[in-house]
Amino acid sequence: MFRCLAADFEKCTGPFYVVHCVNTGMKFLIDTGAAISLLPVRNVPIGVTVQHTDIVIEGISSERQRAVGNVDLKIQPELSGKVFNVTFHIVPKAVFSLLGANFTDRYELANIIAFQARRL
């Protein structure tokens, strides 16, 4: 499980994985311990449709916060010709954007990430 708890993940020491997306210009931290993907309110792209949700999210610190909605985004990681559809829960207190198990499991990336981590 890889977790980065610093306020700015460029300052974190590994192992962690950041996905740079060429189609959005955004960076996403892959969190293999997170069940869902999170997006800070400030990172919601202008013009996307935000769906209502009543989900309450409990973070690693056991703090609970209510999601303000969810959004479906298409992301294309650097060095990948593939475009992935990901549902993100929008939360007001998220420090950075996270790709959770709804991304890694669906696209069978968890094993690749774990293999690469052993090589570090």
Side-chain angles (χ1 to χ4, degrees):
M1 184 174 347
F2 308 111
R3 291 237 168 97
C4 180
L5 300 177
D8 182 358
F9 54 72
E10 277 84 5
K11 297 177 184 174
C12 293
T13 56
F16 66 96
Y17 295 90
V18 176
V19 173
H20 300 263
C21 293
V22 295
N23 62 327
T24 64
M26 295 168 53
K27 295 179 184 178
F28 301 93
L29 181 67
I30 293 182
D31 185 345
T32 58
I36 59 176
S37 296
L38 300 178
L39 194 65
V41 171
R42 69 181 179 282
N43 290 356
V44 176
I46 295 172
V48 299
T49 302
V50 175
Q51 295 108 19
H52 174 75
T53 185
D54 288 323
I55 190 171
V56 175
I57 298 165
E58 184 174 337
I60 190 170
S61 66
S62 298
E63 180 182 355
R64 292 176 179 227
Q65 60 178 312
R66 183 171 300 282
V68 296
N70 59 24
V71 64
D72 295 321
L73 297 180
K74 294 182 185 301
I75 63 170
Q76 181 183 3
E78 263 183 343
L79 308 176
S80 169
K82 296 181 180 180
V83 175
F84 300 97
N85 295 311
V86 184
T87 298
F88 289 91
H89 294 280
I90 304 164
V91 288
K93 294 183 183 178
V95 177
F96 33 66
S97 303
L98 294 178
L99 288 167
N102 68 318
F103 173 75
T104 58
D105 291 354
R106 180 174 180 189
Y107 296 108
E108 299 178 355
L109 299 175
N111 291 337
I112 296 168
I113 293 165
F115 174 75
Q116 289 179 350
R118 287 194 295 270
R119 295 175 42 200
L120 294 177

mmCIF file of all heavy atoms in Angstrom, residues 21-24 73-86 103 106-107:
data_model
loop_
_atom_site.group_PDB
_atom_site.id
_atom_site.type_symbol
_atom_site.label_atom_id
_atom_site.label_comp_id
_atom_site.label_asym_id
_atom_site.label_seq_id
_atom_site.Cartn_x
_atom_site.Cartn_y
_atom_site.Cartn_z
ATOM 1 N N CYS A 21 -1.755 13.237 -16.755
ATOM 2 C CA CYS A 21 -2.715 13.017 -17.838
ATOM 3 C C CYS A 21 -2.537 14.060 -18.926
ATOM 4 O O CYS A 21 -2.585 15.256 -18.652
ATOM 5 C CB CYS A 21 -4.134 13.048 -17.310
ATOM 6 S SG CYS A 21 -4.439 11.658 -16.226
ATOM 7 N N VAL A 22 -2.333 13.566 -20.139
ATOM 8 C CA VAL A 22 -2.085 14.473 -21.251
ATOM 9 C C VAL A 22 -3.353 15.192 -21.693
ATOM 10 O O VAL A 22 -3.288 16.307 -22.192
ATOM 11 C CB VAL A 22 -1.432 13.746 -22.444
ATOM 12 C CG1 VAL A 22 -0.055 13.247 -22.077
ATOM 13 C CG2 VAL A 22 -2.285 12.603 -22.951
ATOM 14 N N ASN A 23 -4.504 14.584 -21.516
ATOM 15 C CA ASN A 23 -5.736 15.214 -22.001
ATOM 16 C C ASN A 23 -6.316 16.227 -21.026
ATOM 17 O O ASN A 23 -7.076 17.099 -21.428
ATOM 18 C CB ASN A 23 -6.787 14.167 -22.369
ATOM 19 C CG ASN A 23 -7.213 13.324 -21.190
ATOM 20 O OD1 ASN A 23 -6.412 13.050 -20.295
ATOM 21 N ND2 ASN A 23 -8.451 12.897 -21.175
ATOM 22 N N THR A 24 -5.979 16.140 -19.737
ATOM 23 C CA THR A 24 -6.515 17.096 -18.764
ATOM 24 C C THR A 24 -5.437 18.020 -18.204
ATOM 25 O O THR A 24 -5.761 19.055 -17.635
ATOM 26 C CB THR A 24 -7.165 16.368 -17.568
ATOM 27 O OG1 THR A 24 -6.145 15.643 -16.873
ATOM 28 C CG2 THR A 24 -8.286 15.451 -18.003
ATOM 29 N N LEU A 73 -14.801 11.365 -15.533
ATOM 30 C CA LEU A 73 -13.778 11.986 -16.373
ATOM 31 C C LEU A 73 -13.082 10.930 -17.217
ATOM 32 O O LEU A 73 -12.903 9.799 -16.777
ATOM 33 C CB LEU A 73 -12.732 12.706 -15.523
ATOM 34 C CG LEU A 73 -13.185 13.870 -14.663
ATOM 35 C CD1 LEU A 73 -12.003 14.435 -13.897
ATOM 36 C CD2 LEU A 73 -13.820 14.949 -15.523
ATOM 37 N N LYS A 74 -12.668 11.329 -18.376
ATOM 38 C CA LYS A 74 -11.825 10.493 -19.224
ATOM 39 C C LYS A 74 -10.400 10.984 -19.013
ATOM 40 O O LYS A 74 -10.121 12.176 -19.170
ATOM 41 C CB LYS A 74 -12.223 10.630 -20.687
ATOM 42 C CG LYS A 74 -13.602 10.087 -20.992
ATOM 43 C CD LYS A 74 -13.894 10.215 -22.473
ATOM 44 C CE LYS A 74 -15.293 9.800 -22.825
ATOM 45 N NZ LYS A 74 -15.661 8.470 -22.498
ATOM 46 N N ILE A 75 -9.526 10.061 -18.616
ATOM 47 C CA ILE A 75 -8.134 10.445 -18.412
ATOM 48 C C ILE A 75 -7.231 9.608 -19.308
ATOM 49 O O ILE A 75 -7.501 8.442 -19.560
ATOM 50 C CB ILE A 75 -7.699 10.333 -16.938
ATOM 51 C CG1 ILE A 75 -7.779 8.893 -16.438
ATOM 52 C CG2 ILE A 75 -8.543 11.243 -16.053
ATOM 53 C CD1 ILE A 75 -7.135 8.717 -15.077
ATOM 54 N N GLN A 76 -6.195 10.241 -19.811
ATOM 55 C CA GLN A 76 -5.215 9.553 -20.646
ATOM 56 C C GLN A 76 -3.835 9.768 -20.038
ATOM 57 O O GLN A 76 -3.253 10.838 -20.171
ATOM 58 C CB GLN A 76 -5.238 10.092 -22.081
ATOM 59 C CG GLN A 76 -4.243 9.379 -22.974
ATOM 60 C CD GLN A 76 -4.214 9.956 -24.383
ATOM 61 O OE1 GLN A 76 -4.899 10.918 -24.686
ATOM 62 N NE2 GLN A 76 -3.422 9.357 -25.233
ATOM 63 N N PRO A 77 -3.321 8.747 -19.339
ATOM 64 C CA PRO A 77 -2.000 8.882 -18.722
ATOM 65 C C PRO A 77 -0.906 9.093 -19.762
ATOM 66 O O PRO A 77 -0.997 8.609 -20.884
ATOM 67 C CB PRO A 77 -1.799 7.547 -17.997
ATOM 68 C CG PRO A 77 -3.184 7.023 -17.793
ATOM 69 C CD PRO A 77 -3.951 7.486 -19.000
ATOM 70 N N GLU A 78 0.122 9.826 -19.351
ATOM 71 C CA GLU A 78 1.305 9.989 -20.193
ATOM 72 C C GLU A 78 1.838 8.624 -20.583
ATOM 73 O O GLU A 78 1.736 7.670 -19.818
ATOM 74 C CB GLU A 78 2.402 10.712 -19.405
ATOM 75 C CG GLU A 78 2.478 12.170 -19.648
ATOM 76 C CD GLU A 78 3.633 12.790 -18.882
ATOM 77 O OE1 GLU A 78 4.173 12.195 -17.943
ATOM 78 O OE2 GLU A 78 3.968 13.901 -19.231
ATOM 79 N N LEU A 79 2.440 8.538 -21.720
ATOM 80 C CA LEU A 79 3.058 7.307 -22.224
ATOM 81 C C LEU A 79 2.052 6.183 -22.428
ATOM 82 O O LEU A 79 2.411 5.018 -22.431
ATOM 83 C CB LEU A 79 4.192 6.832 -21.296
ATOM 84 C CG LEU A 79 5.258 7.876 -20.959
ATOM 85 C CD1 LEU A 79 6.258 7.318 -19.961
ATOM 86 C CD2 LEU A 79 5.961 8.355 -22.210
ATOM 87 N N SER A 80 0.789 6.541 -22.534
ATOM 88 C CA SER A 80 -0.243 5.538 -22.762
ATOM 89 C C SER A 80 -1.151 6.053 -23.865
ATOM 90 O O SER A 80 -1.557 7.205 -23.847
ATOM 91 C CB SER A 80 -1.067 5.304 -21.490
ATOM 92 O OG SER A 80 -2.201 4.520 -21.791
ATOM 93 N N GLY A 81 -1.459 5.191 -24.793
ATOM 94 C CA GLY A 81 -2.398 5.569 -25.830
ATOM 95 C C GLY A 81 -3.834 5.337 -25.404
ATOM 96 O O GLY A 81 -4.764 5.611 -26.147
ATOM 97 N N LYS A 82 -4.017 4.814 -24.193
ATOM 98 C CA LYS A 82 -5.352 4.448 -23.721
ATOM 99 C C LYS A 82 -6.031 5.602 -22.995
ATOM 100 O O LYS A 82 -5.383 6.382 -22.303
ATOM 101 C CB LYS A 82 -5.273 3.248 -22.778
ATOM 102 C CG LYS A 82 -4.778 1.989 -23.449
ATOM 103 C CD LYS A 82 -4.752 0.838 -22.472
ATOM 104 C CE LYS A 82 -4.250 -0.421 -23.159
ATOM 105 N NZ LYS A 82 -4.208 -1.552 -22.255
ATOM 106 N N VAL A 83 -7.337 5.652 -23.142
ATOM 107 C CA VAL A 83 -8.159 6.607 -22.407
ATOM 108 C C VAL A 83 -9.009 5.803 -21.433
ATOM 109 O O VAL A 83 -9.627 4.807 -21.809
ATOM 110 C CB VAL A 83 -9.059 7.424 -23.357
ATOM 111 C CG1 VAL A 83 -9.989 8.321 -22.565
ATOM 112 C CG2 VAL A 83 -8.205 8.245 -24.310
ATOM 113 N N PHE A 84 -9.015 6.206 -20.168
ATOM 114 C CA PHE A 84 -9.739 5.497 -19.127
ATOM 115 C C PHE A 84 -10.897 6.352 -18.630
ATOM 116 O O PHE A 84 -10.745 7.555 -18.450
ATOM 117 C CB PHE A 84 -8.822 5.183 -17.946
ATOM 118 C CG PHE A 84 -7.644 4.329 -18.303
ATOM 119 C CD1 PHE A 84 -6.405 4.897 -18.575
ATOM 120 C CD2 PHE A 84 -7.771 2.951 -18.379
ATOM 121 C CE1 PHE A 84 -5.313 4.107 -18.899
ATOM 122 C CE2 PHE A 84 -6.687 2.160 -18.709
ATOM 123 C CZ PHE A 84 -5.464 2.733 -18.971
ATOM 124 N N ASN A 85 -12.043 5.720 -18.391
ATOM 125 C CA ASN A 85 -13.187 6.390 -17.786
ATOM 126 C C ASN A 85 -13.123 6.165 -16.280
ATOM 127 O O ASN A 85 -13.059 5.024 -15.839
ATOM 128 C CB ASN A 85 -14.500 5.819 -18.327
ATOM 129 C CG ASN A 85 -14.656 6.095 -19.797
ATOM 130 O OD1 ASN A 85 -14.477 7.208 -20.247
ATOM 131 N ND2 ASN A 85 -14.965 5.061 -20.565
ATOM 132 N N VAL A 86 -13.138 7.246 -15.523
ATOM 133 C CA VAL A 86 -13.016 7.146 -14.068
ATOM 134 C C VAL A 86 -14.078 8.014 -13.403
ATOM 135 O O VAL A 86 -14.272 9.163 -13.790
ATOM 136 C CB VAL A 86 -11.620 7.602 -13.581
ATOM 137 C CG1 VAL A 86 -11.476 7.410 -12.079
ATOM 138 C CG2 VAL A 86 -10.513 6.877 -14.324
ATOM 139 N N PHE A 103 -10.271 2.563 -10.059
ATOM 140 C CA PHE A 103 -9.448 2.720 -11.264
ATOM 141 C C PHE A 103 -8.493 1.544 -11.431
ATOM 142 O O PHE A 103 -8.483 0.877 -12.456
ATOM 143 C CB PHE A 103 -8.674 4.036 -11.189
ATOM 144 C CG PHE A 103 -7.666 4.220 -12.290
ATOM 145 C CD1 PHE A 103 -8.080 4.543 -13.577
ATOM 146 C CD2 PHE A 103 -6.316 4.087 -12.048
ATOM 147 C CE1 PHE A 103 -7.159 4.713 -14.597
ATOM 148 C CE2 PHE A 103 -5.379 4.263 -13.055
ATOM 149 C CZ PHE A 103 -5.802 4.575 -14.330
ATOM 150 N N ARG A 106 -10.367 -1.962 -11.848
ATOM 151 C CA ARG A 106 -11.134 -2.043 -13.096
ATOM 152 C C ARG A 106 -10.216 -2.241 -14.300
ATOM 153 O O ARG A 106 -10.536 -2.977 -15.227
ATOM 154 C CB ARG A 106 -11.962 -0.786 -13.283
ATOM 155 C CG ARG A 106 -12.775 -0.792 -14.552
ATOM 156 C CD ARG A 106 -13.686 0.388 -14.626
ATOM 157 N NE ARG A 106 -14.459 0.354 -15.843
ATOM 158 C CZ ARG A 106 -15.211 1.324 -16.266
ATOM 159 N NH1 ARG A 106 -15.323 2.414 -15.546
ATOM 160 N NH2 ARG A 106 -15.863 1.227 -17.392
ATOM 161 N N TYR A 107 -9.089 -1.578 -14.282
ATOM 162 C CA TYR A 107 -8.174 -1.670 -15.409
ATOM 163 C C TYR A 107 -6.993 -2.592 -15.124
ATOM 164 O O TYR A 107 -5.995 -2.575 -15.828
ATOM 165 C CB TYR A 107 -7.717 -0.272 -15.825
ATOM 166 C CG TYR A 107 -8.886 0.545 -16.325
ATOM 167 C CD1 TYR A 107 -9.394 1.596 -15.576
ATOM 168 C CD2 TYR A 107 -9.520 0.220 -17.515
ATOM 169 C CE1 TYR A 107 -10.491 2.325 -16.015
ATOM 170 C CE2 TYR A 107 -10.612 0.944 -17.963
ATOM 171 C CZ TYR A 107 -11.094 1.990 -17.213
ATOM 172 O OH TYR A 107 -12.179 2.704 -17.650
#
